[in-house]
Amino acid sequence: TAYGTDPNEVLKILVKVAHENKEVLKNPTPAALFDTFGESSLNYRLLFWVPFQNGLQAKSDVSIAVYNRFEELGIKIPFPQHEVYLTQKTSKK
């Protein structure tokens, strides 16, 4: 998420979204962790367990649900931005 976003709130949202997915097992319970301070973002991990055969679909479904919930709540997912300065070389005569 973007810097300035409340990480406590993000952790709650991540766990809630995981619990709402029917494929996610109740035991062990889903866990959300703050991971790192990124260059332009606060990074998290969401851990949840599903039956093996449903893993890829569940990961996709939960990821999309997180994206949708963030959109609903106005939580921004940043992308790296870099500034480039161009100068014009002047020639002397």
Side-chain angles (χ1 to χ4, degrees):
T1 61
Y3 276 94
T5 304
D6 181 357
N8 299 294
E9 191 63 29
V10 171
L11 294 172
K12 290 176 194 173
I13 292 165
L14 292 173
V15 169
K16 187 172 191 307
V17 168
H19 275 296
E20 291 171 353
N21 184 285
K22 63 182 169 111
E23 297 297 330
V24 173
L25 300 175
K26 304 297 180 215
N27 191 10
T29 188
L33 305 166
F34 179 84
D35 192 28
T36 59
F37 292 96
E39 223 178 282
S40 59
S41 62
L42 302 175
N43 301 321
Y44 304 85
R45 272 181 202 248
L46 176 58
L47 307 173
F48 57 90
W49 291 260
V50 298
F52 179 79
Q53 66 274 15
N54 302 334
L56 291 175
Q57 186 64 55
K59 180 180 178 187
S60 176
D61 292 346
V62 170
S63 295
I64 290 169
V66 167
Y67 175 86
N68 291 338
R69 187 67 51 86
F70 283 1
E71 279 288 310
E72 289 170 13
L73 298 172
I75 296 173
K76 300 295 179 205
I77 301 173
F79 55 92
Q81 297 182 32
H82 301 280
E83 293 183 21
V84 177
Y85 297 95
L86 303 174
T87 59
Q88 184 175 6
K89 185 176 180 179
T90 58
S91 63
K92 291 185 175 184
K93 290 187 179 184

